[in-house]
Amino acid sequence: MSNNKFILPIEYILYNIYPNPFNPIIECNYAVPEQGQITISFYNMLGREIEKLYAGSQVPGYHSITWDASEYSSGLYFVQMIAGDYISTQKLMLVK
């Protein structure tokens, strides 16, 4: 039996978004190894930021955030997580 109740991540990770394709809600799971500033934003096909879901200080651990895209049309979107030098971008398909 482990004495550790909580195991902290060792690196920043934006996990694969699911479901993908989605309609209209997705869940973004990510890991933060140390307290710091992070931003999670969504962009349209033209690269314009359409929604910033999170911007601020985040404690270490595993986190989840939900995006409801019901006000947007079907198409290709991108989610991006930025935390210091870490940048991860994923492609998403909204199908209504």
Side-chain angles (χ1 to χ4, degrees):
M1 184 186 314
S2 173
N3 290 334
N4 296 332
K5 286 187 175 182
F6 304 104
I7 298 174
L8 294 176
I10 58 171
E11 62 185 351
Y12 290 101
I13 301 172
L14 175 62
Y15 292 101
N16 287 332
I17 305 298
Y18 65 90
N20 190 14
F22 71 102
N23 177 23
I25 297 172
I26 56 166
E27 185 174 331
C28 302
N29 294 302
Y30 58 98
V32 177
E34 59 191 19
Q35 183 155 356
Q37 299 293 315
I38 71 159
T39 303
I40 298 176
S41 299
F42 287 85
Y43 297 84
N44 65 15
M45 246 177 25
L46 301 174
R48 292 191 186 114
E49 184 180 70
I50 56 171
E51 202 160 328
K52 187 174 290 188
L53 280 190
Y54 189 89
S57 182
Q58 183 74 79
V59 297
Y62 298 93
H63 304 278
S64 179
I65 196 163
T66 302
W67 183 43
D68 182 350
S70 57
E71 67 182 72
Y72 298 101
S73 59
S74 295
L76 185 64
Y77 294 88
F78 299 92
V79 59
Q80 184 175 66
M81 177 179 163
I82 300 173
D85 292 337
Y86 176 84
I87 299 174
S88 179
T89 306
Q90 293 184 27
K91 185 173 23 175
L92 307 168
M93 180 64 72
L94 172 60
V95 179
K96 290 187 171 182

